[in-house]
Coordinates of all heavy atoms in Angstrom, one line a residue:
Chain T
L69 N 10.1 48.4 -45.1 CA 10.6 48.0 -46.4 C 10.0 46.7 -46.9 O 9.9 46.5 -48.1 CB 12.2 47.8 -46.3 CG 13.0 49.0 -46.3 CD1 14.5 48.6 -46.3 CD2 12.7 49.9 -47.5
L98 N 8.9 46.5 -52.4 CA 9.6 47.7 -51.8 C 11.0 47.4 -51.4 O 11.9 48.2 -51.7 CB 8.8 48.2 -50.6 CG 7.5 48.9 -50.8 CD1 6.9 49.3 -49.4 CD2 7.7 50.2 -51.6
F99 N 11.2 46.3 -50.7 CA 12.5 45.9 -50.3 C 13.5 45.7 -51.5 O 14.6 46.2 -51.5 CB 12.5 44.6 -49.5 CG 13.8 44.0 -49.2 CD1 14.6 44.6 -48.2 CD2 14.3 43.0 -49.9 CE1 15.9 44.0 -47.9 CE2 15.5 42.4 -49.6 CZ 16.3 43.0 -48.7
L100 N 13.0 45.0 -52.5 CA 13.9 44.7 -53.7 C 14.2 46.0 -54.4 O 15.4 46.2 -54.8 CB 13.1 43.8 -54.6 CG 12.9 42.4 -54.1 CD1 12.0 41.6 -54.9 CD2 14.2 41.6 -53.9
K101 N 13.3 46.9 -54.5 CA 13.6 48.2 -55.1 C 14.6 49.0 -54.2 O 15.5 49.7 -54.7 CB 12.3 49.1 -55.3 CG 11.4 48.6 -56.5 CD 10.2 49.5 -56.5 CE 9.2 49.0 -57.6 NZ 9.5 49.6 -58.9
A102 N 14.4 48.9 -52.9 CA 15.2 49.7 -52.0 C 16.7 49.3 -52.0 O 17.6 50.1 -51.7 CB 14.6 49.6 -50.6
V103 N 16.9 48.0 -52.2 CA 18.3 47.6 -52.2 C 19.0 47.5 -53.6 O 20.1 47.0 -53.8 CB 18.5 46.2 -51.5 CG1 18.1 46.3 -50.1 CG2 17.7 45.1 -52.3
S104 N 18.2 48.0 -54.6 CA 18.8 48.1 -56.0 C 19.3 49.5 -56.2 O 18.5 50.4 -56.6 CB 17.7 47.8 -57.0 OG 17.1 46.6 -56.8
F105 N 20.5 49.7 -56.0 CA 21.0 51.1 -56.3 C 22.5 51.0 -56.5 O 23.2 50.1 -56.2 CB 20.7 52.1 -55.1 CG 21.2 51.7 -53.8 CD1 22.5 52.1 -53.4 CD2 20.5 50.9 -52.9 CE1 23.0 51.8 -52.1 CE2 21.0 50.6 -51.6 CZ 22.2 51.0 -51.3
K106 N 23.0 52.1 -57.1 CA 24.4 52.3 -57.4 C 25.2 52.7 -56.1 O 24.7 53.5 -55.3 CB 24.6 53.4 -58.5 CG 25.9 53.4 -59.2 CD 25.8 54.4 -60.3 CE 27.0 54.4 -61.2 NZ 28.3 54.6 -60.5
G107 N 26.3 52.1 -55.9 CA 27.1 52.5 -54.8 C 27.1 51.5 -53.7 O 26.5 50.4 -53.8
T108 N 27.8 51.9 -52.6 CA 28.0 51.0 -51.5 C 26.6 50.7 -50.8 O 25.8 51.5 -50.6 CB 28.9 51.7 -50.4 OG1 30.1 52.0 -51.0 CG2 29.2 50.7 -49.2
G109 N 26.4 49.4 -50.6 CA 25.2 48.9 -50.0 C 24.2 48.4 -51.1 O 23.2 47.8 -50.7
G110 N 24.4 48.7 -52.3 CA 23.6 48.2 -53.4 C 23.7 46.7 -53.5 O 24.7 46.2 -54.0
L111 N 22.7 46.0 -53.1 CA 22.7 44.5 -53.2 C 22.3 44.0 -54.5 O 22.7 42.9 -54.9 CB 21.9 43.9 -52.1 CG 22.1 44.4 -50.6 CD1 21.2 43.6 -49.7 CD2 23.6 44.1 -50.2
I112 N 21.5 44.8 -55.2 CA 21.0 44.4 -56.5 C 21.3 45.5 -57.5 O 21.3 46.7 -57.2 CB 19.5 44.1 -56.5 CG1 19.2 42.9 -55.5 CG2 18.9 43.8 -57.9 CD1 17.7 42.7 -55.3
S113 N 21.7 45.1 -58.7 CA 22.0 46.1 -59.7 C 20.8 47.1 -60.0 O 19.7 46.6 -60.2 CB 22.5 45.5 -61.0 OG 22.5 46.4 -62.1
P114 N 21.1 48.4 -60.1 CA 20.0 49.3 -60.4 C 19.4 49.1 -61.8 O 18.4 49.8 -62.2 CB 20.6 50.7 -60.2 CG 22.1 50.5 -60.3 CD 22.4 49.1 -59.9
Q115 N 20.0 48.3 -62.6 CA 19.5 48.1 -64.0 C 18.2 47.3 -64.0 O 17.5 47.3 -65.0 CB 20.5 47.3 -64.8 CG 20.6 45.8 -64.5 CD 21.8 45.1 -65.0 OE1 23.0 45.4 -64.6 NE2 21.6 44.3 -66.0
Y116 N 17.8 46.7 -62.8 CA 16.6 45.9 -62.8 C 15.5 46.7 -62.2 O 15.7 47.6 -61.3 CB 16.8 44.7 -61.9 CG 17.9 43.8 -62.5 CD1 19.1 43.6 -61.8 CD2 17.7 43.1 -63.7 CE1 20.1 42.7 -62.3 CE2 18.7 42.3 -64.2 CZ 19.9 42.1 -63.5 OH 20.8 41.3 -64.0
D117 N 14.3 46.4 -62.6 CA 13.1 47.0 -62.0 C 12.2 45.8 -61.5 O 12.3 44.7 -62.0 CB 12.3 47.8 -63.0 CG 11.2 48.7 -62.3 OD1 11.4 48.9 -61.1 OD2 10.3 49.1 -63.0
F118 N 11.5 46.1 -60.5 CA 10.7 45.0 -59.9 C 9.2 45.2 -59.9 O 8.7 46.3 -59.7 CB 11.1 44.8 -58.4 CG 12.5 44.2 -58.3 CD1 13.6 45.0 -58.1 CD2 12.7 42.8 -58.4 CE1 14.9 44.5 -58.0 CE2 14.0 42.3 -58.3 CZ 15.1 43.1 -58.1
I161 N 19.5 38.0 -54.9 CA 20.6 38.2 -53.9 C 21.2 36.8 -53.6 O 20.5 36.0 -52.8 CB 20.1 38.9 -52.6 CG1 19.5 40.3 -53.0 CG2 21.2 39.0 -51.6 CD1 18.9 41.0 -51.8
Chain B
F71 N 29.1 49.6 -66.1 CA 29.0 50.8 -65.2 C 30.4 51.2 -64.7 O 30.7 52.4 -64.5 CB 28.1 50.6 -64.0 CG 28.8 49.9 -62.9 CD1 29.1 50.6 -61.7 CD2 29.1 48.6 -62.9 CE1 29.7 50.0 -60.6 CE2 29.8 48.0 -61.8 CZ 30.1 48.7 -60.7
Y77 N 25.5 51.9 -67.6 CA 24.5 51.8 -66.6 C 24.4 50.3 -66.1 O 23.9 50.0 -65.1 CB 23.1 52.2 -67.1 CG 22.6 51.2 -68.1 CD1 21.6 50.3 -67.8 CD2 23.1 51.3 -69.4 CE1 21.2 49.4 -68.7 CE2 22.6 50.4 -70.4 CZ 21.7 49.4 -70.0 OH 21.2 48.5 -70.9
V79 N 25.4 46.6 -64.8 CA 26.3 45.9 -63.9 C 26.4 44.4 -64.3 O 27.4 43.8 -64.3 CB 25.9 46.1 -62.5 CG1 26.8 45.4 -61.5 CG2 25.8 47.6 -62.1
I146 N 29.7 41.0 -53.1 CA 30.2 42.4 -53.0 C 28.9 43.2 -52.8 O 28.1 43.4 -53.7 CB 31.0 42.9 -54.2 CG1 32.2 42.0 -54.4 CG2 31.3 44.3 -54.1 CD1 33.0 42.2 -55.7
P147 N 28.7 43.8 -51.6 CA 27.5 44.6 -51.4 C 27.6 46.0 -51.9 O 27.5 47.0 -51.2 CB 27.4 44.6 -49.8 CG 28.8 44.5 -49.4 CD 29.6 43.8 -50.4
S148 N 27.8 46.1 -53.2 CA 27.9 47.4 -53.8 C 27.5 47.3 -55.3 O 28.0 46.4 -56.0 CB 29.4 47.9 -53.7 OG 29.5 49.2 -54.3
D149 N 26.7 48.2 -55.7 CA 26.2 48.3 -57.1 C 25.6 47.1 -57.7 O 25.4 46.9 -58.9 CB 27.4 48.6 -58.0 CG 28.2 49.9 -57.6 OD1 27.6 51.0 -57.8 OD2 29.2 49.8 -57.0
G150 N 25.3 46.1 -56.8 CA 24.7 44.8 -57.3 C 25.7 43.9 -57.9 O 25.4 43.0 -58.7
L151 N 27.0 44.1 -57.6 CA 28.1 43.3 -58.2 C 28.0 41.8 -57.7 O 28.3 40.9 -58.5 CB 29.4 43.8 -57.8 CG 30.0 45.0 -58.6 CD1 31.2 45.6 -57.9 CD2 30.4 44.5 -60.0
G152 N 27.6 41.6 -56.5 CA 27.3 40.2 -56.1 C 28.6 39.4 -56.1 O 29.7 39.8 -55.6

Side-chain angles (χ1 to χ4, degrees):
Chain T
L69 284 182
L98 284 179
F99 169 77
L100 293 168
K101 283 177 184 278
V103 297
S104 306
F105 60 88
K106 198 171 185 308
T108 306
L111 305 182
I112 299 173
S113 166
Q115 74 196 70
Y116 299 113
D117 194 19
F118 290 96
I161 299 172
Chain B
F71 86 106
Y77 69 100
V79 179
I146 300 170
S148 179
D149 303 285
L151 277 167

